[in-house]
Amino acid sequence: MINQVGQIMLYVNNQDEAVKFWTETLGFSVVADENNGQGMRWIEISPSTDAETSIILHDKDLISKMSPEMNLGTPSLMFFSDNFEQLHNGLKKKNVKVGEIVSMPSGRVFNFTDSEENYFAVMEK
């Protein structure tokens, strides 16, 4: 039985640019930067050292060549934030494309895009 989401695979066009966005813009940390010596590199990032789930940044082009049948679309991710408005305002100041704050039955939410125009959402917690 599954009891936890361990890692989420995010397929990107430019791994270095993606790492820069997630670390410098959102404050994530690089947990691991691995290379198998045969051209396959993967970078594990996490919002905190005690996070139960991390994101693995994979090279989209390389994975599509290795496994053409794979769905390499961006997963729809919902992040939680204790500093919701501070995060929203901070992303705007960093010129990140940020949506307006919307009140939903489950709480306030906004979306943002990464450096490759992939959309993600943040919910106030």
Side-chain angles (χ1 to χ4, degrees):
M1 186 183 241
I2 296 172
N3 63 355
Q4 175 183 340
V5 175
Q7 298 174 328
I8 297 166
M9 306 304 167
L10 183 57
Y11 303 101
V12 297
N13 295 314
N14 185 322
Q15 287 174 295
D16 292 324
E17 191 65 35
V19 168
K20 182 178 176 183
F21 175 82
W22 288 98
T23 58
E24 294 179 14
T25 305
L26 286 171
F28 278 53
S29 297
V30 174
V31 175
D33 189 338
E34 304 287 335
N35 189 322
N36 72 355
Q38 299 173 5
M40 175 119 176
R41 177 183 178 209
W42 59 96
I43 303 131
E44 181 178 3
I45 59 172
S46 177
S48 67
T49 56
D50 62 345
E52 293 184 12
T53 304
S54 60
I55 296 174
I56 307 297
L57 302 171
H58 281 287
D59 182 299
K60 186 183 280 188
D61 187 51
L62 180 64
I63 299 296
S64 72
K65 289 175 184 168
M66 289 174 52
S67 301
E69 72 284 355
M70 276 187 70
N71 178 352
L72 303 178
T74 304
S76 182
L77 300 179
M78 173 74 77
F79 297 100
F80 295 150
S81 176
D82 293 331
N83 301 310
F84 184 77
E85 287 189 32
Q86 181 182 358
L87 176 61
H88 184 264
N89 293 333
L91 291 175
K92 285 171 107 174
K93 287 179 184 173
K94 292 179 180 180
N95 295 317
V96 173
K97 187 187 285 185
V98 180
E100 295 300 316
I101 294 174
V102 177
S103 292
M104 306 289 282
S106 54
R108 296 190 312 160
V109 178
F110 71 86
N111 61 24
F112 68 91
T113 63
D114 67 5
S115 55
E116 296 186 5
E117 298 292 317
N118 297 307
Y119 275 85
F120 303 98
V122 179
M123 178 179 282
E124 183 175 34
K125 282 288 179 181

